[in-house]
């Protein structure tokens, strides 16, 4: 490593971003970036560490929104009463991401910026139609939709002098849950994951459903066929046979030429069943 800066104010961050070149990397938790360095055999680089910026480390509530600083860790999300109240699926996804040591370091901003097709918080943020606030080297801030920021396969739409400052999610009365399947029981990367955000009437009828599947494409896909099957059903009376064809067709449409589709069809059925059980509680 050639140069390391750790700005403590927005002004210092902007100054560091002005000096940024193609060999300079922004780091928060570093759990993805260090793997990237090892894979690409990158040893000669500069670092801008954004973890000293206090506004990037807070979860806040306004009248209509929840804002999550980009350096908020998975452990913070997991333990936040505010997140549990308004975005319960985000608690689920944070809890299921890697080991305790990784969750203590990995940040939500890093998960978004890395844009991995297996990123565990991404289906949740897509389901909640999250907005991403971004700052550039001049101090100008812009807001963009999560589905625009995440291009998938470890690509995002950030300019070279831009950094994610916070994630913004509108408050709602929706219920939500997340589930994943990996190759191991713990410390596993998702083979497939899913988030369902639904609204239920007093007589237990689902009248809104927003479901995203991860790791079945470059970035999370909206599961329209599954949503349609759930709409106007009593959540207590949905059975396996009702959803079987919709889940299989959803995976077939997403990855028709991949050999893993057969495994993922079965896995997706299990995920949906697990999520419905959580939402019935």
């Amino acid at each position: 490593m050639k140069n390391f800066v750790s700005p403590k104010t927005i002004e210092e961050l902007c100054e560091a971003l002005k000096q940024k070149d193609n060999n300079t990397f922004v780091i928060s938790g570093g759990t993805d970036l260090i793997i990237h360095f090892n894979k690409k055999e990158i040893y000669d680089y500069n670092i801008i560490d954004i973890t000293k910026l206090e506004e990037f480390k807070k979860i806040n509530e306004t009248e209509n929104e929840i804002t999550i600083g980009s350096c908020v860790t998975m452990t913070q999300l997991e333990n936040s009463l505010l997140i549990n109240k308004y975005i319960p699926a985000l608690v689920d996804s944070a809890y299921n991401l890697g080991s305790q040591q990784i969750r203590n370091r990995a940040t939500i901003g890093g998960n978004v910026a890395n844009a991995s097709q297996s990123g565990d918080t991404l289906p949740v943020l897509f389901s909640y139609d999250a907005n991403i606030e971004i700052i550039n080297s001049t101090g100008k801030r812009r807001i963009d939709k999560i589905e625009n920021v995440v291009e998938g396969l470890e690509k995002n739409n950030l300019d070279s002098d831009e950094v994610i400052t916070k994630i913004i999610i509108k408050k709602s009365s929706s219920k939500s849950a997340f589930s994943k399947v990996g190759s191991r029981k713990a410390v596993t990367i998702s083979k497939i994951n899913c988030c369902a955000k639904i609204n239920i009437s007093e007589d237990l009828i689902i009248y809104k459903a927003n479901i995203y599947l991860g790791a079945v494409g470059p970035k999370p896909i909206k599961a329209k066929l599954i949503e349609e099957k759930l709409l106007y059903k009593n959540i207590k009376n949905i059975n396996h046979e009702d959803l079987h064809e919709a889940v299989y067709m959803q995976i077939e449409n997403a990855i028709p030429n991949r050999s893993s589709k057969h495994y993922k069809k079965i896995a997706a059925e299990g995920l949906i069943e697990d999520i419905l059980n959580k939402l019935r509680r």
Side-chain angles (χ1 to χ4, degrees):
M1 182 168 58
K2 287 164 49 179
N3 191 28
F4 177 90
V5 294
S6 185
K8 295 182 178 62
T9 66
I10 292 296
E11 290 73 20
E12 290 176 4
L13 172 64
C14 292
E15 191 57 37
L17 291 173
K18 286 176 186 171
Q19 310 301 321
K20 185 173 178 289
D21 58 24
N22 291 336
N23 204 34
T24 303
F25 299 86
V26 174
I27 194 170
S28 51
T31 53
D32 291 322
L33 187 61
I34 299 304
I35 293 170
H36 175 76
F37 285 163
N38 290 336
K39 275 186 181 175
K40 303 288 183 182
E41 298 185 349
I42 299 172
Y43 306 112
D44 188 19
Y45 51 84
N46 306 309
I47 289 290
I48 301 173
D49 171 17
I50 60 173
T51 58
K52 298 293 190 295
L53 288 141
E54 288 302 319
E55 78 165 76
F56 287 14
K57 298 193 287 186
K58 295 177 180 173
I59 300 171
N60 288 316
E61 175 183 22
T62 66
E63 184 178 355
N64 300 313
E65 296 172 338
I66 301 296
T67 62
I68 307 168
S70 59
C71 290
V72 167
T73 66
M74 297 301 150
T75 299
Q76 279 180 273
L77 292 174
E78 190 184 328
N79 295 326
S80 168
L81 296 178
L82 203 56
I83 299 298
N84 190 49
K85 179 179 179 181
Y86 288 105
I87 322 166
L90 196 53
V91 173
D92 270 354
S93 65
Y95 174 75
N96 283 287
L97 189 149
S99 66
Q100 183 66 63
Q101 291 90 338
I102 290 174
R103 294 197 292 276
N104 288 341
R105 294 289 306 173
T107 63
I108 191 167
N111 214 224
V112 173
N114 192 48
S116 166
Q117 61 179 345
S118 302
D120 282 330
T121 65
L122 298 183
V124 181
L125 299 180
F126 273 67
S127 293
Y128 277 84
D129 194 24
N131 283 317
I132 309 299
E133 186 188 84
I134 297 155
I135 192 169
N136 70 10
S137 61
T138 69
K140 185 178 179 181
R141 301 190 188 220
R142 68 179 175 96
I143 292 177
D144 205 346
K145 294 284 187 189
I146 180 75
E147 65 179 53
N148 296 330
V149 174
V150 174
E151 296 179 346
L153 301 177
E154 301 184 3
K155 294 180 180 175
N156 60 53
N157 82 342
L158 300 180
D159 289 336
S160 60
D161 71 334
E162 289 186 322
V163 168
I164 295 171
T165 59
K166 69 176 86 164
I167 288 86
I168 305 165
I169 293 175
K170 287 183 182 174
K171 287 181 179 175
S172 73
S173 58
S174 303
K175 298 184 70 172
S176 68
F178 168 90
S179 192
K180 70 187 273 186
V181 170
S183 55
R184 292 176 291 176
K185 284 189 177 178
V187 198
T188 186
I189 294 171
S190 288
K191 295 290 186 185
I192 182 170
N193 56 27
C194 181
C195 174
K197 171 174 171 274
I198 63 170
N199 289 73
I200 308 172
S201 65
E202 289 184 359
D203 53 355
L204 302 180
I205 303 300
I206 299 171
Y207 63 91
K208 279 185 185 174
N210 205 15
I211 300 173
Y212 276 83
L213 286 161
V216 290
K219 60 183 182 180
I221 64 159
K222 188 169 175 62
K224 289 182 180 178
L225 297 176
I226 302 171
E227 291 173 356
E228 288 168 3
K229 275 292 175 185
L230 291 176
L231 278 178
Y232 313 118
K233 300 271 175 53
N234 185 312
I235 192 164
K236 299 284 188 185
N237 298 328
I238 299 167
N239 60 45
H240 179 80
E241 288 72 24
D242 286 340
L243 290 171
H244 174 81
E245 188 175 345
V247 173
Y248 270 47
M249 283 306 299
Q250 195 74 68
I251 301 297
E252 181 70 30
N253 292 347
I255 47 174
N257 300 317
R258 279 167 56 177
S259 59
S260 63
K261 69 179 180 181
H262 305 293
Y263 155 74
K264 293 201 177 189
K265 286 175 181 176
I266 298 168
E269 270 196 303
L271 290 184
I272 297 296
E273 191 172 340
D274 184 44
I275 283 173
L276 287 174
N277 284 334
K278 290 179 181 179
L279 292 172
R280 289 183 182 114
R281 291 171 193 159

